[in-house]
Amino acid sequence: MRKALLPALIIIAAIILISKIFYLQIVDESLKLKAENNAIKKVFDFPERGYIYDRNGKLLVANQPSYDIMVVPREIKNIDTLSFCNLLGITKEEFIKKIEKAKVYSPRLPSVFLPQLNKKEYAAFQEKERKFEGFYTQKRALRDYQVDYGANIFGFITQVNEAIINQNPYYNSGDLIGRQGVEQQYEEILRGVKGVKYLLRDKHNKVIGPYKEGKFDTISQQGKDLTLTIDAELQKYGTELMINKRGGIVAIEPNSGEILALVSAPTYDPALLVGRKRSKNYTELYYDSIAKPLYDRGLLAQYPPGSPFKIITGLIGLQEEVIDENTGFVCHHGFYYGRGAFMKCHDAGVSRLNNGIYQSCNTYFANVFKKTIDKYQKPSESVDIWANHVESFGLGQFLGTDMPIGRKGSIPNSKTYKRAYPNGGWRSTTIISNAIGQGEITTTPIQLANMMAAVANRGYYYTPHIVKTIKGQKIDSNYTTKHKTTIDPKYFEPVIKGLADVYNIGTASSLKVDSLQICGKTGTAENFIRVAGVKHQLKDHSIFVAFAPADNPKIAIAVFIENGYWGSRWAGPIATLMIEKYVKGKITRHDLENRMLNGSLQDEYRKIEDLIYQRQPQSAVQKSIETLNAKKEEVEN
């Protein structure tokens, strides 16, 4: 028995092996296609990417034809290199460099030699293509932007690199992929599916027909269209208002979480990143480390929120029942919170919740914060309860938007202060700056807009998102799920009354719009820069948050203007104009509009450049002389 076992095992193994070889070589013909078979040419049919529309059906991003010159290094034979280079406008050195790069990828497989030829360039090459064996053209689709704004929303498409090819078998050398914005976030939906044709070649390398009569060919599937939540006209208007300014605007529809506008300034025309000059233009944008046009300030910039955070301070005080709306505190132009420690305030007299909000009284909110932290026996317990309330508004965490970038901001808790004060000794007055949105708190503009959406909804919000519909499928349920704050709905009404009075009789009374009740809050945040180890104070940032109308709100907004002095100077007017544009469909405050459209903060930004590059600004006398000389020349001419 034992003697027969070994031969039997050998026979069984041999049968299995032979059967497998028979299946692989005879039955499963598709394996032949996976090898680099010289007799079979693999040609891809690239689908159009999905179109992108705004919420009202306006076409924002379409496609245009483009052509790549592909090369198979092994097949290059006796070509006139000089004629080839002249035809395509490249040097012989560039030709050699590109061929070597193609050989490194694969001598036998096609790769992109020269990408993104336009129709004229393609037609010129096609006439003489037969003379250049080893080269052929591959049709692709490039983006065709119908608007010159929204670059930070769309992102761009670019060629895949080797790392992506190694990670994802779908992509080959020369393929295009979405980068940044919705192009990256929804890449698999927008790109569609490539089709493949297998062509049979003879011994002279000429195509003689489809392999196996097209048995293994597949048809390309066009990418799915996206409808964004963005209102194109509002986005365009916000972009115009932000010319010669730096900062961000984020507008959200409160009852859905849909992002109506996402403006980052300065910005760039998305068409700059299309075509053969894309790489050069991208490099210039990338290395602009001062203006940072590729940096989406609405999603990434983290600033102290300043006075808009007083809204949260007041709501937490009401929820924790350390105050009611009639609780009053006396303000003597500031708040003493320790020996020699004084928080300045422009207000004076008795402040309660309503006038504390519309007059933005630091003393009032410092007292509310102190009472909140002092409510519990241990400040560590109190600050964690406080932080939990704050985070329920989406602050201090990734919101989970459908954009590929974002920042958490920072909301301190007991761990923060245990690290800062390992020996203890900290208390409410130690961290009192948090009361007015300074201290250790940082937020992004989209978080502030979402915070105002939660206030407008009287205690809940939907995760902000930028895609409204995807053709043929539903959006993720994460964006239709309601998130409740820890604050009872009843506490929002007195706070909202105070926010309405900011426009009626408060710090934004000069920004009122007839027949439209806006609820808002001005803010100013200190601004510092460190150069060569030295800290310099710059002009404060201008902040404004708002929603409107007060009842059944349609828009919540946050505006942040770098070096904008104070809230009602730049951010407030821009927020007001954006709200009126969206709610009323027209502008009546033309005085504000003219000032914002024509206003500039470039002088303030040049001061930053002077500091960074250690340039000496002109003296007042020198400036006066130059002004007089200029006027003299004007008169003489």
Side-chain angles (χ1 to χ4, degrees):
M1 186 70 179
R2 289 182 180 178
K3 291 181 180 180
L5 181 61
L6 183 60
L9 288 174
I10 293 172
I11 292 170
I12 292 170
I15 292 171
I16 293 172
L17 183 61
I18 292 169
S19 299
K20 186 68 174 177
I21 292 171
F22 176 80
Y23 175 78
L24 292 176
Q25 292 190 349
I26 307 300
V27 179
D28 189 6
E29 297 176 293
S30 65
L31 287 176
K32 296 178 182 179
L33 304 178
K34 296 180 182 180
E36 294 182 0
N37 195 320
N38 291 335
I40 300 171
K41 182 179 182 180
K42 190 177 183 181
V43 178
F44 290 106
D45 179 20
F46 291 91
E48 276 198 282
R49 285 181 79 86
Y51 284 36
I52 300 176
Y53 300 85
D54 90 326
R55 68 188 295 112
N56 300 311
K58 177 182 174 66
L59 179 61
L60 302 175
V61 185
N63 298 303
Q64 57 182 310
S66 174
Y67 305 88
D68 293 347
I69 294 181
M70 309 295 290
V71 62
V72 181
R74 183 174 174 173
E75 296 176 3
I76 298 175
K77 295 177 182 177
N78 302 320
I79 69 167
D80 185 341
T81 305
L82 184 60
S83 175
F84 183 89
C85 292
N86 289 336
L87 181 62
L88 295 175
I90 62 174
T91 65
K92 186 176 180 180
E93 289 74 18
E94 289 176 307
F95 175 88
I96 295 171
K97 185 177 179 180
K98 290 177 182 295
I99 293 298
E100 291 302 317
K101 183 178 179 181
K103 287 179 180 178
V104 170
Y105 172 70
S106 173
R108 298 184 178 188
L109 295 177
S111 59
V112 175
F113 177 83
L114 196 63
Q116 301 179 7
L117 274 66
N118 57 36
K119 289 181 180 179
K120 185 177 179 181
E121 293 168 329
Y122 165 70
F125 180 79
Q126 191 181 37
E127 285 183 12
K128 301 182 179 181
E129 183 177 342
R130 65 185 185 279
K131 296 181 179 180
F132 307 118
E133 195 170 348
F135 294 89
Y136 67 95
T137 53
Q138 173 78 65
K139 185 178 179 181
R140 299 183 192 269
L142 295 183
R143 281 316 207 183
D144 185 13
Y145 295 99
Q146 309 298 300
V147 296
D148 61 0
Y149 51 85
N152 62 310
I153 295 172
F154 307 138
F156 55 91
I157 56 174
T158 185
Q159 286 189 32
V160 295
N161 56 34
E162 190 173 344
I164 294 172
I165 294 170
N166 292 335
Q167 292 170 5
N168 192 329
Y170 176 86
Y171 297 103
N172 298 301
S173 177
D175 283 3
L176 301 176
I177 191 171
R179 276 284 168 261
Q180 299 183 11
V182 295
E183 294 281 16
Q184 177 175 329
Q185 187 72 16
Y186 292 91
E187 161 67 11
E188 291 187 12
I189 289 170
L190 285 168
R191 77 186 182 194
V193 179
K194 288 183 292 189
V196 184
K197 290 183 180 180
Y198 297 95
L199 304 176
L200 193 61
R201 298 186 288 196
D202 63 15
K203 63 181 181 180
H204 300 293
N205 212 29
K206 291 182 180 180
V207 174
I208 57 176
Y211 175 70
K212 293 288 184 181
E213 298 181 347
K215 178 180 178 181
F216 300 103
D217 293 354
T218 59
I219 300 173
S220 64
Q221 300 175 29
Q222 184 171 345
K224 294 179 181 178
D225 296 342
L226 296 183
T227 297
L228 302 185
T229 61
I230 294 295
D231 184 297
E233 290 304 310
L234 190 66
Q235 180 75 22
K236 179 183 178 183
Y237 189 54
T239 302
E240 291 169 350
L241 291 172
M242 291 296 290
I243 291 174
N244 290 321
K245 306 165 193 75
R246 295 177 188 167
I249 304 174
V250 184
I252 296 173
E253 184 179 68
N255 65 8
S256 67
E258 294 178 357
I259 299 172
L260 302 172
L262 181 60
V263 179
S264 180
T267 186
Y268 61 94
D269 185 340
L272 287 174
L273 299 186
V274 177
R276 291 177 65 180
K277 292 184 178 180
R278 187 205 69 81
S279 181
K280 176 178 177 291
N281 291 337
Y282 180 82
T283 300
E284 290 179 2
L285 293 169
Y286 181 83
Y287 283 105
D288 185 350
S289 59
I290 302 297
K292 299 180 180 178
L294 292 174
Y295 182 71
D296 192 327
R297 287 166 164 85
L299 300 176
L300 295 174
Q302 299 177 111
Y303 311 97
S307 290
F309 192 80
K310 293 173 182 176
I311 300 168
I312 304 298
T313 301
L315 286 168
I316 295 173
L318 292 170
Q319 181 67 37
E320 289 295 319
E321 298 182 338
V322 297
I323 60 163
D324 59 33
E325 59 184 291
N326 296 312
T327 303
F329 301 101
V330 178
C331 177
H332 297 289
H333 295 292
F335 175 71
Y336 285 98
Y337 56 93
R339 183 176 296 178
F342 185 67
M343 179 188 289
K344 292 181 181 180
C345 183
H346 58 266
D347 199 12
V350 178
S351 288
R352 294 181 174 84
L353 180 64
N354 185 258
N355 67 319
I357 291 173
Y358 74 69
Q359 291 177 340
S360 198
C361 178
N362 287 345
T363 299
Y364 176 83
F365 290 100
N367 275 289
V368 173
F369 181 81
K370 185 176 183 301
K371 289 174 74 68
T372 300
I373 301 302
D374 291 344
K375 176 181 177 180
Y376 299 93
Q377 187 174 4
K378 294 181 179 180
S380 58
E381 179 186 2
S382 298
V383 80
D384 283 340
I385 292 170
W386 169 85
N388 183 58
H389 285 308
V390 175
E391 290 173 355
S392 74
F393 286 82
L395 304 179
Q397 57 189 291
F398 294 111
L399 282 173
T401 68
D402 57 342
M403 292 291 275
I405 54 174
R407 293 270 173 82
K408 288 177 63 175
S410 175
I411 300 300
N413 55 27
S414 61
K415 293 180 180 178
T416 308
Y417 296 114
K418 284 177 183 177
R419 287 193 299 268
Y421 303 94
N423 298 320
W426 64 277
R427 54 188 62 83
S428 60
T429 52
T430 312
I431 60 173
I432 200 71
S433 294
N434 291 322
I436 59 172
Q438 298 285 166
E440 290 70 50
I441 299 172
T442 59
T443 58
T444 61
I446 193 170
Q447 288 177 326
L448 289 181
N450 184 67
M451 178 190 84
M452 289 308 287
V455 175
N457 290 333
R458 279 68 171 173
Y460 68 89
Y461 68 90
Y462 293 95
T463 299
H465 53 284
I466 208 158
V467 167
K468 188 176 181 69
T469 60
I470 302 169
K471 188 175 182 180
Q473 68 183 73
K474 294 181 178 180
I475 65 168
D476 195 310
S477 60
N478 289 334
Y479 306 124
T480 56
T481 302
K482 185 183 291 187
H483 303 280
K484 293 184 178 180
T485 71
T486 56
I487 309 299
D488 292 340
K490 65 181 179 181
Y491 293 124
F492 285 89
E493 293 306 329
V495 170
I496 289 173
K497 176 63 168 63
L499 295 174
D501 283 339
V502 169
Y503 269 89
N504 294 332
I505 53 178
T507 54
S509 58
S510 64
L511 307 177
K512 281 191 294 187
V513 175
D514 291 341
S515 70
L516 179 59
Q517 180 60 74
I518 305 175
C519 300
K521 185 72 191 75
T522 53
T524 305
E526 290 185 323
N527 178 22
F528 298 93
I529 188 173
R530 189 173 293 276
V531 179
V534 180
K535 189 176 182 181
H536 301 271
Q537 183 162 12
L538 305 173
K539 290 296 182 189
D540 292 339
H541 296 314
S542 174
I543 313 168
F544 201 87
V545 296
F547 65 85
D551 297 318
N552 190 25
K554 294 179 173 60
I555 181 172
I557 193 167
V559 180
F560 202 105
I561 309 297
E562 295 180 5
N563 307 84
Y565 293 79
W566 58 86
S568 60
R569 179 159 176 172
W570 291 100
I574 289 174
T576 301
L577 291 166
M578 291 284 286
I579 288 172
E580 186 178 23
K581 177 78 170 178
Y582 185 71
V583 176
K584 299 178 73 173
K586 62 179 181 178
I587 297 297
T588 60
R589 289 300 307 268
H590 295 295
D591 56 327
L592 295 181
E593 184 179 55
N594 291 334
R595 184 155 61 87
M596 292 301 103
L597 290 175
N598 299 319
S600 173
L601 284 166
Q602 289 301 322
D603 285 344
E604 291 300 327
Y605 304 139
R606 274 190 284 271
K607 291 176 185 177
I608 301 174
E609 294 178 32
D610 290 340
L611 274 173
I612 293 173
Y613 298 114
Q614 301 296 308
R615 294 195 295 244
Q616 294 297 321
Q618 291 177 310
S619 68
V621 174
Q622 187 179 355
K623 286 184 178 179
S624 298
I625 292 171
E626 290 184 357
T627 302
L628 287 171
N629 288 337
K631 288 182 177 179
K632 183 179 177 182
E633 288 180 13
E634 186 178 339
V635 171
E636 289 174 350
N637 292 333

